[in-house]
Amino acid sequence: MNYIVIYDGNCNLCVTLVQVLESIDQGQLFEYVPMQDLEILNQFSITAEDCEMGMILINTKAPEFRWQGSDAAEEIGRLLPVGDVFVTAYRGLPGAKWMGDRFYEQIRDNRYTIFGKRSTTYHSPYPVGCKASLSEEKSST
């Protein structure tokens, strides 16, 4: 399965976390789209208003399966090697999910004030369609 991570490409925290995820995954499971790329978001029927609620994770094999905000962060964690153990433990702690959701909302709503805003939008080296492009390049050589 492959997933698309939609992130705020102007947020310093968001970009740093995407870069960490890129270094772990190396484009094997996740592809990335900044929320500022409205053309690609339109392909998934995602509006700028949708993005105001936080990062979005889409299952490319079944695009109707989407997670947003802290749920997306948890699902990404669950999909990483050994991540399921930590996410399961987190979800099992009484009140942790509720507190995590509130914490995410505070960070989301104040991210530029707390972490700053980039002067240019970050575009991942693993964008949507990257694997198809790489496969086409290999088959043409």
Side-chain angles (χ1 to χ4, degrees):
M1 261 185 227
N2 292 326
Y3 296 86
I4 297 170
V5 176
I6 301 173
Y7 64 96
D8 184 344
N10 293 339
C11 166
N12 284 327
L13 173 66
C14 306
V15 168
T16 299
L17 294 173
V18 163
Q19 289 171 332
V20 168
L21 187 55
E22 289 167 346
S23 71
I24 293 168
D25 181 58
Q26 306 260 320
Q28 297 302 305
L29 190 59
F30 300 106
E31 296 175 316
Y32 306 87
V33 177
M35 292 177 177
Q36 291 74 19
D37 192 335
L38 300 178
E39 185 177 325
I40 292 180
L41 295 183
N42 283 335
Q43 294 174 16
F44 296 100
S45 301
I46 295 173
T47 65
E49 292 78 26
D50 294 332
C51 293
E52 290 177 15
M53 299 308 294
M55 67 189 284
I56 301 170
L57 180 68
I58 301 173
N59 179 331
T60 58
K61 302 288 187 207
E64 66 275 11
F65 290 110
R66 298 177 179 199
W67 300 263
Q68 186 156 21
S70 60
D71 291 335
E74 290 174 27
E75 188 63 16
I76 290 168
R78 193 186 68 72
L79 292 166
L80 292 173
V82 200
D84 191 39
V85 172
F86 294 104
V87 172
T88 300
Y90 161 77
R91 289 178 177 166
L93 293 172
K97 172 72 172 144
W98 183 87
M99 287 177 48
D101 290 348
R102 303 300 80 73
F103 181 72
Y104 181 92
E105 291 166 5
Q106 288 301 310
I107 296 296
R108 176 197 67 205
D109 295 344
N110 299 290
R111 64 190 179 274
Y112 296 141
T113 303
I114 299 169
F115 300 101
K117 186 174 181 178
R118 298 172 55 88
S119 58
T120 59
T121 301
Y122 174 77
H123 293 272
S124 172
Y126 305 103
V128 169
C130 172
K131 289 180 185 173
S133 298
L134 292 175
S135 297
E136 289 169 13
E137 286 175 19
K138 287 179 183 176
S139 65
S140 66
T141 56

